[in-house]
Amino acid sequence: RYTAWPHIIEFLKALPSGLIVADTGCGNGKHLGINKELDVIGCDQSQNLVDICRVRQFQAFVCDALAVPVHSGFGMPDFIAVIPHFATAEHRMTALQEHVGLLKPGGKALIYVWAMQQEYIIINRSPSSLQETELAKERERR
């Protein structure tokens, strides 16, 4: 979860400079600083992950992807690997509608998901300890 995805890097670098981009479900911000010519803001449900973004000096805030508290007007919101985190089809549809609602007229959205049928590996760690470890690793890099 530390390295940016090659297809996302390629996509973000091809966007026109000055575009306002919202990264809903930005996690640790691995995609926030790809294209310095964009005005990118991230949001995530996890305060710890938003803290990592801020340590990395990215703009980010805490929010629920089912109710993003910003107005439409983004040229390109992206929603990378967030859909599978929702437990129900209804929540997935609500999140998609919320995400598309961020678009300005004529804007485009990037929605990226992994296979819904993938197998999961259960790691014996609490989510908070994983996030704290990630934050500590990021601070060490600085």
Side-chain angles (χ1 to χ4, degrees), residues 22-32 41-46 49-50 53 61 63-65 68 78-83 85-86 99 102:
D23 186 345
T24 309
C26 67
N28 65 6
K30 68 183 175 188
H31 295 114
L32 295 181
I41 186 163
C43 64
D44 199 278
Q45 189 172 9
S46 166
L49 291 174
V50 168
C53 293
F61 64 96
C63 81
D64 184 340
V68 180
D78 62 44
F79 206 45
I80 302 167
V82 177
I83 299 295
H85 291 284
F86 295 105
H99 182 71
L102 295 174

Side-chain angles (χ1 to χ4, degrees), residues 2 52 55-56 132-142:
Y2 290 98
I52 292 169
V55 165
R56 298 174 74 189
E132 289 168 11
T133 301
E134 195 166 313
L135 183 58
K137 285 180 182 177
E138 187 58 42
R139 285 184 180 141
E140 287 174 13
R141 284 188 216 142
R142 299 201 90 196

Side-chain angles (χ1 to χ4, degrees), residues 48-113:
N48 288 339
L49 291 174
V50 168
D51 288 345
I52 292 169
C53 293
R54 290 179 180 163
V55 165
R56 298 174 74 189
Q57 300 190 1
F58 296 134
Q59 295 182 72
F61 64 96
V62 175
C63 81
D64 184 340
L66 296 175
V68 180
V70 295
H71 298 288
S72 63
F74 288 90
M76 214 299 300
D78 62 44
F79 206 45
I80 302 167
V82 177
I83 299 295
H85 291 284
F86 295 105
T88 66
E90 180 182 73
H91 282 169
R92 290 182 187 118
M93 287 304 299
T94 299
L96 286 169
Q97 290 169 343
E98 185 74 13
H99 182 71
V100 171
L102 295 174
L103 285 169
K104 70 178 182 180
K108 295 181 181 181
L110 172 65
I111 300 170
Y112 213 98
V113 297

